[in-house]
Amino acid sequence: MRIPSINIVAKVAAGLLLFFACKSPGDSPELTDAILPVSFTQVHLTDSFWLPRMEVNRTVSIPSAFHQCEINGRFDNFALAAGLIQGEHRGDYPFDDTDPYKIIEGASYSLAVTYDALLDAYLDSVITLIAAAQEPNGYLTTCVTNRAERLAGWWGKEPWEKLNSHELYNSGHLYEAAVAHYQATGKRSLLDVAIRNADLVCRVFGPEEGQKHVPSGHPIIEMALAKLYQVTGDEKYLQEARYFVEETGRGTDGHRLSAYSQDHKPILEQDEILGHAVRAGYLYSGVVDVATLMHDTAYFRAVERIWNNMANKKLYITGGIGSRSQGEGFGPEYELHNHNAYCETCASIANVYWNQRMFLATGDARYADLLERALYNGVISGVSLGGDRFFYDNPLASDGHEERQEWFGCACCPGNITRFMASVPKYMYATRERSLYVNLYASGHSEMEVGGVPLELIQDTQYPWDGQVRFTVNPSSAATFTLRLRIPGWATDTPVAGSDLYTFASGLKTSLTVSVNGEEMRPPVGNGYLLLDRAWEPGDEVLLSLPMEPRYIRAHDRVAADEGLHALQRGPIVYCLEGIDQQDHQVFNKYLSEDVTPLYAFEPLKLNGIVELFASGGEVSRDLDGELLEREALLSAVPYAVWNNRGKGEMTVWIPGSAAAARPVPKETIASRAAVYVLGEGRDEQVFAVTDHWEPKHSGDLSRPYLSLWRGREEERIIEYRFEQAEMLRGMEVYFVEFDHYDGDYRLPLAWKLQYLDGGVWTDAEASAYECEKDRYNVVDFSPPLLTTALRMSVRLVEGASGGIHECKFY
């Protein structure tokens, strides 16, 4: 197959993407003609925010991630599949192949920004290994080729046997990496591997008799096939992407329909975002690709309905999505817990992908606005400033037990970070006919064509710390076009454009201004953009001034977790209180009135340079009689994205607005003096949730940390309480978890019992009846009292269900 050049592809794509205008009801954005992103190869950042992060990604994150692939067997699996080595397949998941694919994608973007001969050669060697592992018919999933029996529960006995095998997910990431590598280097080595695999997929899956009739299981192949189509021009890849979209929710071959994988009903009938958050973001990104490329307004309207549900009822203020660890996905509407917020790093990245596509289909700034929120807060919180440690999930409150890790057994997030950070420049600009869209603000220079006229655009700004953005417009010759400058929602009275989920506590004291060549302008506004339509001359200057005052944000009244609380934001940055910055290292005992206007200062040596907020607030405590005491306290807030870069400690995004909503530091108890472990094979896992003093409101209260006893083969779980010195125990109180979930219900235990360590021997405790009631503490009295250094709690779970404990107390 002849692959057209990148420039030809851009022109072909412009023709293929021609989309007709279509009015929609209410406030629905209008579909528009093709909007094309300006390629990442044409955007050259020079700023002090993104460029250093991209350089850390290039010099630390990518090499670190490749090293983890080397030592954790990712490359060995390809070598084993190629017959180059002997041994056993390594890894615990069938999608481990995607780790190298993601890092290759990120490395390819990095090569386009800063050429590195050693990295280029390293990629060639890895790609050679991948190509060698591919079977003659194009099949490529190493755990299947290697007949990894440990993973047979995922993939079965033959290729493509099980819906959730992740074989198509592996293929999708292969295509994404291949396209990036081809665009960055012009080399076809990985692209040819991807094409052979895609041709096989098109033969195996489809609507015809004899083909497999199933959706993709874990989406990404939908948007990957669309991308492969745009690069190769081969129509069958687009048709195959549409097939997977249309098969979602059909159950043609009798496969299990599940909200977990957004397969509970056809996409055209969906109106609420459910299930695994990463899968959702990838799936709906692919649906927008198909809808745009194939001029299908019905599919676009369906995804728009789902987006509205997400943005208005299930979006975190950080741009993160997915409130529950169960199923790694969405809970009910307005369930936006903070301690237990899942907000997987990959889900924030998927949210960026989805919103970029929604913008390209409509030209509406609300989507670029949410993209920016996720980008500056929910995405980059997933990686340390040093670039070598990662968060899998991103809570909005912490008791101080979370910290980033070097790698994970399920290592999707580190690889995703490496591929995403390198691609940030491609989200800055887009063009359509005689319009140039500016969606992100960062210093740099870019080359593009607008209305057929070559143009250089220079940005000079200290954004996001400063709101002054200066543009120099340099068309090759005088040209008339519209410069569209996005008005951020935070620069108006809407924190999230197109959503009522969050509101500002008060209006702005200043407003944005824009001038051209020193003359203040009052341009019209369209779809959230300032429209500067004029004849531009080389050297024309535009100065955009955005109001950057700190603002308080309130959540919708139906978000129970944020009742009585507010968040702080300045510019696009969401802030948090971090314990290390407070005098007593505590955050949950603090409060801050909205009557107080926070001060701010740029701190160049703190956390690689941040604007820090300062405010005169208060803190609460209790006296010996239990009476609430209040006193003044100076509060310091830092950007949420950089928390946990100075060690473990408490953190919260949502801050009490009054002393009544603050929580005094709990007094020490017998329970808090215990070290608590869940016993398991090979190692005991220390847990903290059951003795953290957060009181549950009911058994289904998921707003605070709780101990999850995940369903598995063992029906009985053992929790051990270890004391530094002998404690006299007269009784124990236990509050059990119970709630329903599509990915597995949590049920009250069938039974539980206690043993104590007596002279080195575990002995049954003589106790009153062991109750298993919901919505209250279950109390056990010891008769006689126990003097012991350790206590074991055995919990027998309901078969097929999970269990959990909110809190335990001793007296």
Side-chain angles (χ1 to χ4, degrees), residues 219-241:
I220 197 175
I221 197 170
E222 297 84 356
M223 60 176 173
L225 282 165
K227 190 175 289 187
L228 198 59
Y229 158 68
Q230 290 175 275
V231 168
T232 65
D234 193 326
E235 180 80 18
K236 72 173 180 287
Y237 300 141
L238 178 58
Q239 293 295 337
E240 189 73 2

Side-chain angles (χ1 to χ4, degrees), residues 285-569:
S285 295
V287 175
V288 177
D289 282 340
V290 169
T292 306
L293 290 163
M294 303 193 79
H295 307 170
D296 193 319
T297 55
Y299 271 114
F300 183 82
R301 294 300 173 224
V303 175
E304 186 181 58
R305 287 196 307 271
I306 298 164
W307 185 93
N308 282 327
N309 177 259
M310 179 271 292
N312 283 277
K313 298 177 180 180
K314 298 192 179 185
L315 176 74
Y316 280 93
I317 192 63
T318 57
I321 52 176
S323 63
R324 293 192 176 187
S325 59
Q326 296 82 15
E328 299 184 312
F330 298 97
E333 293 177 343
Y334 299 105
E335 180 188 270
L336 294 167
H337 307 312
N338 296 311
H339 272 94
N340 290 329
Y342 201 64
C343 292
E344 184 179 339
T345 299
C346 289
S348 291
I349 291 172
N351 206 13
V352 170
Y353 293 157
W354 184 10
N355 280 280
Q356 171 74 346
R357 286 161 169 80
M358 296 292 282
F359 157 71
L360 292 174
T362 64
D364 195 292
R366 73 178 69 181
Y367 304 118
D369 200 60
L370 182 45
L371 183 157
E372 180 186 61
R373 179 170 295 278
L375 185 63
Y376 276 95
N377 302 288
V379 172
I380 61 175
S381 61
V383 60
S384 66
L385 291 173
D388 58 352
R389 301 183 71 84
F390 306 89
F391 273 140
Y392 193 106
D393 50 313
N394 294 270
L396 275 71
S398 171
D399 285 345
H401 305 302
E402 290 85 2
E403 65 178 337
R404 294 179 181 86
Q405 304 296 316
E406 290 185 355
W407 196 248
F408 305 92
C410 175
C412 53
C413 295
N416 234 357
I417 281 285
T418 62
R419 75 177 182 133
F420 183 83
M421 291 296 290
S423 71
V424 167
K426 76 177 184 180
Y427 299 102
M428 291 193 61
Y429 305 110
T431 63
R432 175 173 66 91
E433 298 176 345
R434 291 178 49 257
S435 288
L436 170 59
Y437 294 82
V438 180
N439 283 333
L440 298 178
Y441 300 110
S443 288
H445 60 93
S446 308
E447 304 88 33
M448 60 210 66
E449 281 192 5
V450 181
V453 177
L455 169 71
E456 179 192 41
L457 184 70
I458 301 171
Q459 272 200 60
D460 184 15
T461 180
Q462 293 301 312
Y463 193 92
W465 311 126
D466 186 87
Q468 298 286 317
V469 188
R470 188 178 302 276
F471 299 89
T472 303
V473 184
N474 287 322
S476 60
S477 58
T480 300
F481 60 89
T482 303
L483 182 63
R484 297 173 179 255
L485 304 179
R486 182 178 63 86
I487 306 171
W490 53 262
T492 65
D493 287 325
T494 309
V496 179
S499 170
D500 67 353
L501 185 56
Y502 301 103
T503 56
F504 286 118
S506 59
L508 282 164
K509 298 176 182 177
T510 58
S511 58
L512 66 83
T513 61
V514 63
S515 63
V516 178
N517 295 329
E519 180 183 353
E520 186 169 342
M521 310 293 290
R522 296 187 179 275
V525 175
N527 279 347
Y529 291 89
L530 293 171
L531 307 180
L532 297 174
D533 187 5
R534 58 180 281 130
W536 297 93
E537 299 282 348
D540 280 347
E541 287 196 350
V542 177
L543 179 62
L544 174 67
S545 181
L546 297 169
M548 298 289 279
E549 59 200 62
R551 306 184 72 181
Y552 293 99
I553 294 177
R554 300 171 183 166
H556 195 285
D557 290 343
R558 293 181 64 182
V559 181
D562 297 334
E563 183 179 358
L565 313 178
H566 48 220
L568 284 169
Q569 181 170 335

